[in-house]
Amino acid sequence: MKKSLTIILVIILLLTFSLSLTGCNKSFGAKNVREQIESNLGWHQSADEVCVYDVFDGDLNVGTHASEMSYVYKENVTINSTIEDQNRTLDNFSGYKFITQTLAEIDGVTYERYTESYADLNLSPAMSYTKEVTPDKSTEIITSYDEKRINVTFIIDGEISESSVKYKSGAMLYDNSYVYQFARATDLTSSLAVSVPTYNISNGKTEVKKSNFSMSYLSGITALLDNDFLLERQFVQAEGETSENTSGAFDEKNPAVEETDEDGKVTVTYPFTKTSSIPSYRCTFTSTDSSLVRGSVSCCIAVNPMKMQDGGRFSKRVVVMMQEGKMTYKLKSVEYSLKI
């Protein structure tokens, strides 16, 4: 297998984890997390969000990645694998559903990845499924959770094996299949210590074991995208002045507001701006376990609500960019819609 494809597979396997979090310099208990999620993510209830990204290997566009987040209310949901008796079902489930799909061609090798997972309103995981396909291997990982143990079923080219790892009772767990969605739901300021079970698939062995990561946020970042988006923020411009950022950034439904001061000076307040430079927070995951392959894994989260230029509703805290080693995912489109 080519080196670039090997790198992305290793990083993804290292990142397919469940998170046990403790705050650094502040309490990060269950109540605190729930309040953050309610404030920063609760508005997604009864709505769907779909983000599509271009995938870059260095400067080369090699594929696409789609991420969908939707709200589920009292539904029976099922995860389907290639072996029917390994399927998993949740009855009368309420919470969030996350789906990602990646299709890329790296060094002439086609790579496909699909994830589907379910989490409650606290983003605590209920179950998850990952399928990765390359020309020489098919890998499926089914993860379920009980009170003190994470249980994993591997299906490698049709062969089934199982593994599990313990965690402390009362620990907060989050599945990596939606780890970037969790990152956008925090207060974007805490530094977090992360205890993670990682999946090891090599030399015919399959196991889940624990590793350690740190999770930190940095503000004042600008994510540079290839397309222009509309940001929901005000921009005040003096009469006669021009700005590329505001050119064409309003329509009849969102008219600009003109104000005249005592000296007769007119200013125009635009309700949103058009730009490909997105003010962001960066969340970085760093391996602190020397036995793991070290690599930069991070995501950029938009400060302002944003939408497509012809979009209907603004979406908050959009993950606009992801970096996994030398692989970069840049936001191409975002659609947010109410289900009701």
Side-chain angles (χ1 to χ4, degrees):
M1 184 176 294
K2 299 291 186 178
K3 183 177 179 182
S4 296
L5 184 58
T6 301
I7 290 173
I8 189 175
L9 287 174
V10 169
I11 291 173
I12 287 172
L13 288 175
L14 291 178
L15 278 176
T16 309
F17 50 56
S18 301
L19 309 182
S20 174
L21 304 179
T22 57
C24 178
N25 301 323
K26 67 178 291 185
S27 171
F28 204 71
K31 183 175 184 296
N32 180 271
V33 172
R34 185 66 188 98
E35 289 174 350
Q36 292 181 35
I37 292 171
E38 178 65 27
S39 173
N40 302 322
L41 197 63
W43 69 282
H44 276 81
Q45 294 183 19
S46 301
D48 289 329
E49 180 190 80
V50 179
C51 295
V52 178
Y53 302 81
D54 285 322
V55 181
F56 291 87
D57 180 1
D59 295 328
L60 181 65
N61 189 327
V62 296
T64 60
H65 171 82
S67 174
E68 180 178 355
M69 175 182 180
S70 59
Y71 179 67
V72 178
Y73 181 68
K74 292 186 177 181
E75 294 183 19
N76 297 330
V77 296
T78 300
I79 280 179
N80 295 307
S81 68
T82 56
I83 300 179
E84 186 174 352
D85 62 9
Q86 296 299 319
N87 295 348
R88 303 289 188 272
T89 299
L90 294 174
D91 296 327
N92 199 35
F93 173 78
S94 292
Y96 294 102
K97 176 181 180 180
F98 303 96
I99 292 177
T100 69
Q101 297 185 73
T102 305
L103 178 62
E105 184 175 332
I106 305 170
D107 294 334
V109 179
T110 300
Y111 168 78
E112 297 179 47
R113 185 172 190 257
Y114 172 86
T115 72
E116 179 178 344
S117 54
Y118 297 86
D120 67 16
L121 295 179
N122 292 312
L123 292 188
S124 296
M127 62 181 182
S128 68
Y129 171 76
T130 299
K131 183 176 182 180
E132 297 175 353
V133 179
T134 62
D136 59 354
K137 180 182 288 188
S138 172
T139 301
E140 296 171 84
I141 303 173
I142 304 167
T143 306
S144 59
Y145 302 84
D146 59 29
E147 185 177 354
K148 296 183 180 181
R149 186 176 292 274
I150 301 169
N151 303 300
V152 179
T153 299
F154 299 91
I155 306 175
I156 311 297
D157 292 331
E159 296 293 327
I160 299 173
S161 61
E162 296 182 345
S163 182
S164 65
V165 64
K166 292 182 178 179
Y167 63 90
K168 293 182 179 180
S169 179
M172 295 178 293
L173 299 175
Y174 303 87
D175 192 277
N176 177 257
S177 56
Y178 59 86
V179 68
Y180 296 129
Q181 301 288 4
F182 171 77
R184 69 193 282 208
T186 74
D187 62 10
L188 306 182
T189 59
S190 298
S191 295
L192 310 174
V194 183
S195 175
V196 304
T198 56
Y199 302 120
N200 181 27
I201 303 174
S202 62
N203 300 322
K205 295 182 179 180
T206 55
E207 64 176 338
V208 57
K209 58 182 182 179
K210 289 188 177 180
S211 304
N212 298 306
F213 287 77
S214 64
M215 177 178 173
S216 59
Y217 290 92
L218 182 65
S219 60
I221 302 299
T222 299
L224 301 178
L225 304 181
D226 296 328
N227 298 329
D228 285 334
F229 293 84
L230 298 184
L231 304 186
E232 192 177 49
R233 65 179 181 182
Q234 290 187 332
F235 183 90
V236 179
Q237 179 181 316
E239 183 181 22
E241 294 180 343
T242 61
S243 170
E244 293 181 359
N245 283 342
T246 60
S247 176
F250 58 93
D251 55 30
E252 295 179 357
K253 295 182 179 179
N254 298 280
V257 177
E258 293 187 3
E259 295 181 346
T260 305
D261 62 17
E262 295 178 353
D263 298 325
K265 183 179 180 180
V266 177
T267 60
V268 181
T269 302
Y270 295 93
F272 44 79
T273 60
K274 181 180 73 173
T275 181
S276 60
S277 301
I278 313 298
S280 305
Y281 295 90
R282 174 179 289 140
C283 178
T284 300
F285 299 86
T286 303
S287 169
T288 59
D289 189 333
S290 60
S291 66
L292 296 179
V293 175
R294 293 183 179 273
S296 174
V297 179
S298 64
C299 66
C300 290
I301 302 164
V303 172
N304 306 99
M306 60 188 295
K307 68 175 182 177
M308 304 292 291
Q309 294 185 56
D310 58 353
R313 295 179 177 273
F314 284 93
S315 185
K316 297 179 182 178
R317 293 186 171 216
V318 177
V319 178
V320 295
M321 188 178 296
M322 297 168 285
Q323 185 81 38
E324 298 175 353
K326 68 171 186 174
M327 308 302 298
T328 303
Y329 304 73
K330 287 187 177 183
L331 184 69
K332 182 178 182 180
S333 65
V334 55
E335 297 292 341
Y336 176 77
S337 60
L338 295 179
K339 298 179 71 172
I340 299 176

